[in-house]
Amino acid sequence: SIYVRELSRESPIVGHRGTLAMSPASTMKIVTTLVGLDVLTPGYSWATTFHTAARMDGGVLRGPLYIKGSGDPKFTSESLQSVIAALRARGVREISGDILLDRSRFARIVHDAAAFDGLPRRPYNVGADALLFNYKSVGFRFNPLPDGTVRVTTDGAPPDGLSIVNNLRTATGTCPNDWRSRMQAEFDDRGNSVTATFNGTYPVDCGERDWYVSLFDHTGLLAGMFARMWRDAGGTWSGAMKEGTVPKNARLLHTHTSAPLASMVTDINKFSNNVMARQLLLTIDAEVSKRPAQAKRAGRVIRDWAKARGFDLPDLVIENGSGLSRSERISAKSLANMLEYGLTAPFASDFVSSLPLAATDGTLSKRFVNQPAEGKAYLKTGTLTGVKALAGYLLLPGDRKLLFVGFVNHANAEGAQKALDAAVDWVYFSEAAQVRALSK
């Protein structure tokens, strides 16, 4: 299906099966991020708070430390480093009890990371968590050396519990697309302990490369990094990390505040970050419902939101808000209506600039190069097996703006990218030519 309409006009310039509900792949992130900006506001931020009900005795916290999450999509090692520095500055040098994690902002769900495509270690399959840390992924860095060996390190300090067995040797030849599989990696999980073994070869022509893998569970990764960073900061911790709930009599020790939503939306859309989109959808539901967030309730929340703003989304089916789903659906016309609202809302500049710019950045950095739409189209991409999608804005001369949505759902959809790109260029070229003709 394809649907192209000029802003504020009723009839489409191009319309083919525009009302048919189809799989949008990652263009569904347009819905999640736009509603997020409207409901939460661009300046919204997430707070991760640190509490205790125990007494402090000579720098020793004699009881548990509580960490309460609110769903921060980007609580990273750098965030944790700043938290640890703040706790140490408050005089805490030893935590003699456990660290208890309060995840009550999101309802408990069982997430099967293998359910979508059988690849549970891929970061895009990570499930949402009220205390998401480092996208629940570990980054390995590979660097070929002149002696035929390969240096394997982690992106930043490795968490406690991670062991690396490196049997890699370099190989000659060009860097193949399947360079990761050449390393014959094996990952052995045992609770909070993971062994990563690399037995194969690494082509010299690959140079230095990173590979991000989802290894630990949510608690295990945070526990391993906290233990490592706390020790490196000169602290001592003798307990374990477990589930818990912040007691009413606990006092606040520190609050970590995330970057604003406007920044998060840019990461979600330009780089199509699935787990961040999942976090945002649940946050929308938590804020609207005032209950522990559930993704299954969010579809109704978004349909009600649209009605309150003057349009319907009768064909919307939303599972997790990222588009990484076989059940999510929306029509090209409905998505165009969403895009129109995004272009007229008070936060329009934040939303539009969050989308990849043709031939410039994000997932469009290498598309539309030297084509009519280069630098003049903000478009979200979408790709799944059997799905190709493209949706956003074409900025024409004379300050004209077009809404563009194209979906291809077919077993051979992978071959449709050139057709979608050609459709963008054709629409842009023909409409821009009319503008130029009328101006003469």
Side-chain angles (χ1 to χ4, degrees):
S1 64
I2 186 167
Y3 188 89
V4 183
R5 179 166 60 82
E6 186 166 359
L7 181 67
S8 301
R9 296 289 181 89
E10 291 186 6
S11 299
I13 296 169
V14 181
H16 174 66
R17 305 174 80 187
T19 60
L20 179 67
M22 296 181 71
S23 173
S26 280
T27 60
M28 183 60 85
K29 293 181 176 74
I30 287 172
V31 176
T32 305
T33 55
L34 197 154
V35 175
L37 285 167
D38 199 48
V39 171
L40 305 176
T41 75
Y44 179 90
S45 60
W46 287 259
T48 304
T49 53
F50 296 75
H51 312 254
T52 189
R55 74 181 192 277
M56 278 277 290
D57 184 8
V60 180
L61 185 61
R62 298 196 180 279
L65 173 71
Y66 295 87
I67 307 177
K68 185 170 185 177
S70 65
D72 186 347
K74 201 175 180 180
F75 188 68
T76 63
S77 294
E78 291 77 14
S79 309
L80 185 59
Q81 189 75 59
S82 70
V83 168
I84 287 174
L87 292 176
R88 294 289 284 118
R90 285 188 64 110
V92 183
R93 61 175 176 80
E94 180 179 344
I95 303 169
S96 64
D98 294 332
I99 297 178
L100 302 181
L101 308 180
D102 188 336
R103 293 186 160 102
S104 58
R105 186 94 191 284
F106 292 174
R108 289 185 178 274
I109 58 169
V110 177
H111 175 72
D112 182 359
F116 179 73
D117 58 7
L119 298 170
R121 298 203 184 280
R122 297 288 180 90
Y124 61 72
N125 278 322
V126 167
D129 189 86
L131 269 167
L132 179 72
F133 175 69
N134 261 2
Y135 316 110
K136 193 181 166 287
S137 297
V138 175
F140 294 97
R141 182 159 294 161
F142 304 91
N143 194 353
L145 302 176
D147 63 0
T149 62
V150 181
R151 181 186 296 121
V152 182
T153 56
T154 55
D155 182 15
D160 279 9
L162 175 63
S163 300
I164 299 175
V165 179
N166 176 13
N167 299 317
L168 287 176
R169 303 292 299 178
T170 57
T172 57
T174 58
C175 187
N177 291 332
D178 66 343
W179 62 273
R180 295 175 182 85
S181 65
R182 304 285 179 95
M183 293 188 289
Q184 301 174 25
E186 298 176 2
F187 303 105
D188 182 21
D189 299 9
R190 297 183 182 181
N192 287 350
S193 176
V194 176
T195 300
T197 304
F198 303 96
N199 289 314
T201 59
Y202 183 84
V204 174
D205 282 359
C206 288
E208 184 177 278
R209 295 216 173 188
D210 293 332
W211 181 14
Y212 288 87
V213 187
S214 177
L215 294 178
F216 298 83
D217 62 20
H218 285 286
T219 298
L221 182 57
L222 180 56
M225 284 305 300
F226 187 93
R228 171 64 186 262
M229 290 182 160
W230 186 253
R231 185 176 63 251
D232 288 350
T236 303
W237 172 38
S238 56
M241 193 170 279
K242 307 174 182 178
E243 299 292 309
T245 303
V246 176
K248 291 183 179 179
N249 65 334
R251 64 187 184 277
L252 181 66
L253 293 177
H254 180 69
T255 299
H256 173 79
T257 303
S258 76
L261 176 60
S263 172
M264 301 289 192
V265 163
T266 296
D267 286 346
I268 292 170
N269 283 334
K270 285 198 184 292
F271 305 104
S272 211
N273 191 300
N274 291 298
V275 68
M276 290 181 74
R278 292 173 185 260
Q279 297 284 111
L280 177 55
L281 183 72
L282 288 173
T283 302
I284 293 168
D285 180 67
E287 289 288 346
V288 172
S289 71
K290 307 302 180 185
R291 289 181 286 175
Q294 294 181 353
K296 65 182 180 182
R297 198 166 48 214
R300 183 170 66 251
V301 168
I302 291 175
R303 281 190 292 274
D304 290 345
W305 169 90
K307 286 182 180 179
R309 281 146 187 82
F311 60 95
D312 291 326
L313 298 174
D315 38 52
L316 176 70
V317 178
I318 195 160
E319 180 185 16
N320 56 50
S322 74
L324 190 73
S325 165
R326 292 299 176 192
S327 62
E328 292 196 330
R329 293 290 186 275
I330 194 170
S331 71
K333 182 178 180 180
S334 288
L335 191 56
N337 288 339
M338 292 286 296
L339 286 165
E340 181 165 29
Y341 181 81
L343 203 56
T344 56
F347 51 81
S349 61
D350 290 312
F351 178 67
V352 174
S353 63
S354 78
L355 300 175
L357 179 59
T360 303
D361 60 18
T363 55
L364 287 185
S365 62
K366 297 181 180 179
R367 289 170 68 175
F368 300 102
V369 176
N370 297 323
Q371 298 300 314
E374 179 176 0
K376 300 179 182 67
Y378 286 93
L379 297 163
K380 180 73 193 78
T381 58
T383 299
L384 291 176
T385 300
V387 183
K388 277 288 184 182
L390 200 59
Y393 307 107
L394 309 185
L395 310 181
L396 298 180
D399 201 33
R400 290 180 62 203
K401 299 177 178 66
L402 300 185
L403 314 171
F404 179 99
V405 182
F407 297 149
V408 178
N409 290 186
H410 191 275
N412 296 327
E414 185 61 32
Q417 178 173 308
K418 289 183 178 179
L420 286 171
D421 290 2
V424 169
D425 282 331
W426 171 71
V427 169
Y428 187 87
F429 183 82
S430 60
E431 291 299 312
Q434 289 186 31
V435 171
R436 287 192 294 269
L438 291 172
S439 65
K440 290 182 179 180

